């Protein structure tokens, strides 16, 4: 499991990003560095869930960098950990049978 990084500083620095393409490029670079320990399929799952509004808000109506960071760290990761724990319990149960 990826170790916890000081992502609070990374995500809170997003409010200082400038708007437009330059801001999106900076966001993408910071996000890539922050999530490099996760599988690409997990990142894709997060963005697909985010896009359909699973983590609240209007999703893509406005590009809110802070909201994406909060959704990833405070909503998606705990949900992911619960799902992985459930899968592991099910696998252990099958092995015991």
């Amino acid at each position: 499991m990826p170790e916890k990084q000081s992502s609070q500083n990374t995500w809170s620095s997003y409010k200082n990003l400038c708007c437009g393409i330059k801001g999106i490029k900076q966001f993408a670079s910071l996000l890539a560095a922050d999530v490099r320990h996760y599988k690409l399929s997990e990142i894709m799952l997060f963005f697909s869930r985010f896009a359909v509004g699973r983590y609240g808000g209007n999703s893509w109506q406005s590009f809110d960098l802070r909201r994406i960071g909060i959704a990833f760290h405070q909503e998606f990761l705990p949900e992911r950990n619960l799902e992985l724990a459930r899968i592991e319990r099910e696998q252990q149960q099958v092995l015991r049978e």
Side-chain angles (χ1 to χ4, degrees):
M1 184 167 301
E3 63 185 69
K4 179 85 169 143
Q5 298 179 8
S6 62
S7 57
Q8 294 296 347
N9 292 337
T10 303
W11 293 111
S12 65
S13 68
Y14 287 159
K15 46 186 159 172
N16 297 325
L17 291 176
C18 51
C19 298
I21 299 299
K22 183 178 178 184
I24 293 171
K25 284 181 180 181
Q26 282 184 291
F27 167 76
S29 294
L30 289 169
L31 179 68
D34 199 36
V35 301
R36 70 182 179 276
H37 300 290
Y38 300 97
K39 295 177 184 177
L40 178 60
S41 58
E42 292 175 306
I43 306 306
M44 292 170 60
L45 178 62
F46 164 71
F47 277 108
S48 67
R49 289 178 177 178
F50 187 85
V52 297
R54 183 164 177 164
Y55 303 118
N58 295 326
S59 302
W60 300 111
Q61 282 188 354
S62 65
F63 193 73
D64 184 349
L65 306 175
R66 183 167 168 74
R67 180 69 197 122
I68 294 170
I70 289 170
F72 182 79
H73 286 284
Q74 294 179 6
E75 297 175 60
F76 174 75
L77 289 182
E79 186 177 79
R80 168 196 173 268
N81 292 338
L82 288 173
E83 290 172 2
L84 290 175
R86 180 189 52 80
I87 291 167
E88 188 174 320
R89 280 192 310 273
E90 289 173 359
Q91 289 174 344
Q92 291 296 323
Q93 186 174 0
V94 166
L95 290 174
R96 283 181 274 198
E97 293 175 352

